[in-house]
Each structure stands twice: as C-alpha cells, then as structure tokens.
Amino acid sequence: MKLHTNRRGDGPLLVCHPGGPGFDGSELVDLGGLDATRTLLLVDPRGTGGSAEAETYLLEDYIADIEELRVDLGEEQIDLLGFSHGGLVAAAYAIAHPGRIRKLVLTVGLAAFTPEMQAEAERVIASFAGEPWYADATVAIAREEAGDYGTPAEAAQMWNAMAPLYFSRWEERYRPLVEVELMNPEPLRQFNAVPFDLRPELGRIDVETLVITGRDDFICGPAAARVLADGIPRSEVVIVENAGHMLHLEQPAAYSAAVEAFLSR
C-alpha cells in the first residue's frame, strides 16, 4: 500500500512510524525538537491519516508498506524510527529486509509481551491510584482488553480516557497533543487478536540500534527495552527519567538529544 507521509524539519532523512496501532504520524509531533536536525518523514500507517483503509492490519502488512515506501523514496538504506507499535514494525522490518536500514531507533518499542512487562504495568498503573483520572483510565483499559470499541468514536473515547497513564506525570497541557476525535478501531482490534513474538529473530538485526524508553512507561518501559537490547547484538539502551510512554512530549530535550547523538555518530 502506498502510504501518505508528511515531511517536517531539515537535515538527513529519518523515516518515522507511529504507534497504536491506529495513530497517524501527527502523534509524533516534532519528536521533541528532532526536526531541528533531521527531516522527519512522518508516516501515516494504513488506515490512518491520509493513508487508505485496508482489510488487514497484520505485522507483515506494515512491513510490506515500509518496504514499498523505501522503494518509492529511491533510497538503498534508510534511518528508521519506530514508536511504540511502530517499534515492533521497525524491528520486524529490519529482520525481514536486512541491509535496508542504516540505523534503527526503537522508541518505547517491544518484541513480545512478557510476564516482566505485565508486572511492570501493574506496578506503574497502581502508582496512579490517587489521581482523579485513574478510575476512567482503568475502565478504558478494561474496555480495550474486552474489545469494547466498535466505532471510531468509541475507540477515540477509550484512548482519551486512558491517555494520562502514558505519562510519568499527567498535566492538562498535554491534552491537546494527544486527544483524538475519531480513531480507526480495526488496526488495534487485529493487533490484539494476533499473538506475536520477535524474540527468536532479534539476533538477525545486524544494524546499530538505539532502544530508548521512559523510566515510568507502563506498557513498553524498561522491561520491554531489556528484551530488545538482550536480543539485538549491536544495540544500546537509554532510559529517560521522569518520562512515561510519551517521552517525546514529557522530556523532549533529553529524548531528542539522545536520538540525535546516536544518529549522528
């Protein structure tokens, strides 16, 4: 599928795949100011933003879409940044298409769901129990787990309720940056229905890789980063303090500095 993209910033090209699945490239904003040194090619994955809807939203579909994008760009190799679910896509792309990536950035990514990640999630979520938004957020998580989000409006409502959990410390100033009016529910539904585990194949990623996450990310935090770093031979890990899943919004300077230092070496 031909993907819609937006360019932002100036400098060497960095292809950026957002998360969800179900979010478009605008989720990434400017990646904490990384557009000051890089041309960010913000991808709208299938079924989001300006890209067409599809019948399937499987991992192999996302991999094929990135390869088609690379070919259309006329680039033998690309620098690729994957955020959240986009990190899963980026790692899987690196496995499927060796030699096509110069450097790989896995931001709050994951290779599998593990018991250690589940324990980390429960601990971090419990730490927010006193927050005024906590009850609505935990109800929203239960709705996702039950698949109770049949329409784009329902999926958006669910995400907006749980969004504060994705920050180390929620502040209302973040709301305009993360709230959505509509969200295609089908990518998330198919993602939750199909198990995945890249751990046996991570050793095939033979490129320099930055694994970066927030210390307080409840869903793809240090436990997820350890799995990626243990499996990818040429990887390094950066844990950003006082940051949750949306570390590019909470700690923009620390995040963009770490990514730029890695890419520019």
Side-chain angles (χ1 to χ4, degrees):
M1 173 180 288
K2 188 174 182 64
L3 299 177
H4 179 266
T5 61
N6 288 294
R7 287 178 183 255
R8 178 167 184 160
D10 187 42
L13 186 70
L14 177 62
V15 178
C16 307
H17 196 297
F23 293 111
D24 63 30
S26 67
E27 174 192 35
L28 303 176
V29 195
D30 61 358
L31 283 173
L34 199 57
D35 61 341
T37 53
R38 301 278 153 178
T39 298
L40 307 180
L41 189 70
L42 303 175
V43 173
D44 289 348
R46 55 175 52 208
T48 73
S51 295
E53 294 187 11
E55 291 187 7
T56 60
Y57 297 90
L58 304 176
L59 187 55
E60 54 261 39
D61 297 323
Y62 291 101
I63 295 168
D65 292 345
I66 291 296
E67 176 60 4
E68 182 174 340
L69 174 62
R70 182 197 63 79
V71 172
D72 287 346
L73 289 171
E75 300 284 350
E76 285 296 313
Q77 289 188 319
I78 56 174
D79 287 336
L80 180 61
L81 183 150
F83 179 90
S84 192
H85 173 259
L88 173 67
V89 172
Y93 176 84
I95 292 166
H97 295 279
R100 294 307 187 187
I101 295 177
R102 188 188 75 92
K103 286 196 173 184
L104 179 64
V105 180
L106 304 178
T107 300
V108 294
L110 76 168
F113 287 120
T114 69
E116 292 79 11
M117 291 171 63
Q118 180 63 35
E120 188 170 77
E122 292 172 357
R123 175 183 58 79
V124 175
I125 291 172
S127 73
F128 293 125
E131 298 293 338
W133 44 260
Y134 176 80
D136 288 342
T138 53
V139 167
I141 288 177
R143 285 183 60 192
E144 179 183 344
E145 292 174 348
D148 181 19
Y149 47 96
T151 69
E154 289 173 345
Q157 180 190 47
M158 180 182 72
W159 158 250
N160 293 339
M162 70 171 70
L165 284 170
Y166 288 72
F167 291 78
S168 175
R169 181 173 180 175
W170 171 253
E171 298 177 21
E172 283 299 316
R173 65 187 177 93
Y174 297 128
R175 193 172 294 282
L177 298 174
V178 298
E179 276 202 344
V180 296
E181 293 184 5
L182 297 172
M183 182 177 178
N184 183 353
E186 198 56 31
L188 183 60
R189 190 189 320 282
Q190 293 190 24
F191 172 71
N192 285 335
V194 180
F196 65 92
D197 189 347
L198 296 185
R199 287 175 294 180
E201 299 180 283
L202 290 177
R204 294 169 54 195
I205 299 178
D206 188 25
V207 297
E208 290 184 73
T209 302
L210 174 64
V211 178
I212 183 167
T213 192
R215 174 71 68 189
D216 303 319
D217 183 354
F218 84 98
I219 193 166
C220 295
R226 283 193 295 272
V227 172
L228 290 166
D230 288 347
I232 301 173
R234 299 167 63 193
S235 64
E236 59 189 80
V237 178
V238 172
I239 306 295
V240 180
E241 301 297 333
N242 301 309
H245 196 70
M246 308 300 280
L247 72 174
H248 62 300
L249 300 179
E250 275 196 289
Q251 300 296 337
Y255 173 73
S256 59
V259 175
E260 178 57 32
F262 169 74
L263 291 174
S264 61
R265 287 206 303 264

